[in-house]
Amino acid sequence: MINIIQSWWNKNKAQKLPVPTLSKDNIPRHVAIIMDGNGRWANRRGLPRIVGHQTGMKAVKRAALAADEIGIEYLTMYAFSTENWKRPKDEVDFLMRLPEEFLAMELEELIEKNVRIQMMGHPEELPSHTIAAMEEAMRRTENNTGLVLNFALNYGSRREIKETFKEAAEALASGALTPADITEEWIGEHLYHTALPDPDLLIRTGGELRLSNFMLWQLAYSELWFTDLYWPEFGRDQLAQAVAEYQRRTRRYGGLS
Ligand code: IPE
Ligand code: IPE
Ligand code: MG
């Protein structure tokens, strides 16, 4: 019993500690997170998978507030992939309710914190209630100048790249572009989210060491950080730990340091 109280106390105390020795001039501008492990978190407790998703929402809020506090400018959260439609309908339906639930609970506080909400992915296949909630949040935060909180929702990187190919093919066919115009910059500017810089740091929770069709183009030179912790267990300390590790890395981009 004493141990339980002690560990609870340590955990809560730790949550309130100042961000550990992060250098202020080397904060990653854009952090992207693959929020994985909700189902396994729930299974381990003998709970239905959806309880893991529900609990994971609290971690989204913790991560956003912590990112803001650390001084990260853009936080992209992988919330639903183009492949996640393969899951049982009940689970998909539940996941599609989460954005509106999250925003109903958190939007006011996010607005107070000057957070701007954005989305990348295909809105046209999302249920109308999901897209309505996202559109309202984007509209109400469009003039905010703080943290950009970008939700990847119905997002798949290969589809994103394929659509950029099609756009290029059409522009070539119509004569609007010549092959020489198709540069890396042109491609980067024609992916979904042109206003975001490439992620400096990618975090994946849940123990899997893969990208699962996430930002394949944009992650070319991102630093990768993996943790076995499940997404519902993620919080400020883990984000600070990932950023601290990022600050110890040397980014060479193929050159010499
Ligand atoms: C991540 O958790 C959330 C989504 C993919 C929507 P999972 O649902 O993938 O959880 P695991 O990986 O099965 O534990
Ligand atoms: C990646 O997780 C997608 C999201 C976190 C939204 P998955 O659980 O779908 O990935 P795989 O299937 O294990 O690769
Ligand atoms: Mg998973």
Side-chain angles (χ1 to χ4, degrees):
M1 189 55 159
I2 298 284
N3 281 346
I4 294 173
I5 294 171
Q6 188 66 47
S7 78
W8 179 87
W9 171 250
N10 284 340
K11 211 169 125 215
N12 282 274
K13 203 173 52 163
Q15 290 285 328
K16 293 189 183 69
L17 284 176
V19 175
T21 56
L22 294 178
S23 143
K24 282 289 159 209
D25 44 44
N26 187 18
I27 301 292
R29 285 186 75 199
H30 184 180
V31 175
I33 306 185
I34 302 176
M35 309 185 275
D36 196 24
N38 291 348
R40 281 166 286 158
W41 180 89
N43 278 345
R44 186 169 278 187
R45 286 162 179 75
L47 299 166
R49 292 177 56 83
I50 58 170
V51 178
H53 297 314
Q54 185 85 39
T55 312
M57 269 200 318
K58 298 196 185 94
V60 174
K61 182 183 180 188
R62 286 198 297 271
L65 295 183
D68 183 48
E69 180 191 339
I70 290 172
I72 291 162
E73 292 173 56
Y74 306 91
L75 181 66
T76 293
M77 314 289 270
Y78 201 9
F80 192 88
S81 76
T82 46
E83 288 72 38
N84 287 146
W85 297 106
K86 293 178 197 159
R87 296 188 179 198
K89 185 175 182 305
D90 283 357
E91 181 170 343
V92 170
D93 288 348
F94 188 86
L95 287 167
M96 289 299 152
R97 288 276 167 205
L98 286 184
E100 61 207 271
E101 206 180 305
F102 173 78
L103 293 165
M105 284 191 312
E106 314 297 354
L107 186 58
E108 296 309 324
E109 186 175 344
L110 294 173
I111 289 173
E112 256 171 56
K113 297 252 178 226
N114 198 20
V115 171
R116 177 168 181 189
I117 294 181
Q118 299 203 334
M119 185 194 138
M120 77 180 177
H122 275 268
E124 61 273 24
E125 286 133 24
L126 295 172
S128 53
H129 60 85
T130 313
I131 198 63
M134 290 305 299
E135 275 172 356
E136 187 196 331
M138 290 190 281
R139 183 179 49 72
R140 289 187 59 199
T141 61
E142 69 189 345
N143 296 321
N144 289 358
T145 53
L147 173 76
V148 172
L149 181 56
N150 178 37
F151 287 98
L153 205 52
N154 195 24
Y155 173 85
S157 184
R158 287 194 168 182
R159 181 168 170 186
E160 177 183 35
I161 292 170
K162 178 191 75 185
E163 285 180 15
T164 306
F165 265 67
K166 280 193 183 164
E167 211 181 314
E170 280 162 15
L172 289 170
S174 75
L177 284 184
T178 68
D181 295 324
I182 316 255
T183 58
E184 289 187 16
E185 287 69 33
W186 187 92
I187 295 171
E189 283 162 14
H190 287 79
L191 297 172
Y192 294 148
H193 231 307
T194 58
L196 300 185
D198 289 344
D200 299 292
L201 172 64
L202 171 81
I203 293 173
R204 180 169 187 148
T205 61
E208 310 291 359
L209 306 180
R210 56 176 170 254
L211 296 179
S212 303
N213 201 15
F214 189 51
M215 303 187 88
L216 303 178
W217 176 275
Q218 299 89 332
L219 291 171
Y221 266 111
S222 308
E223 295 298 322
L224 311 179
W225 191 85
F226 297 97
T227 172
D228 287 335
L229 284 183
Y230 296 133
W231 177 249
E233 298 163 331
F234 190 89
R236 179 179 176 275
D237 289 354
Q238 286 69 39
L239 185 64
Q241 212 182 312
V243 171
E245 164 75 30
Y246 168 87
Q247 296 190 330
R248 288 193 289 274
R249 307 250 182 110
T250 306
R251 302 181 78 183
R252 282 185 288 274
Y253 301 95
L256 303 176
S257 52

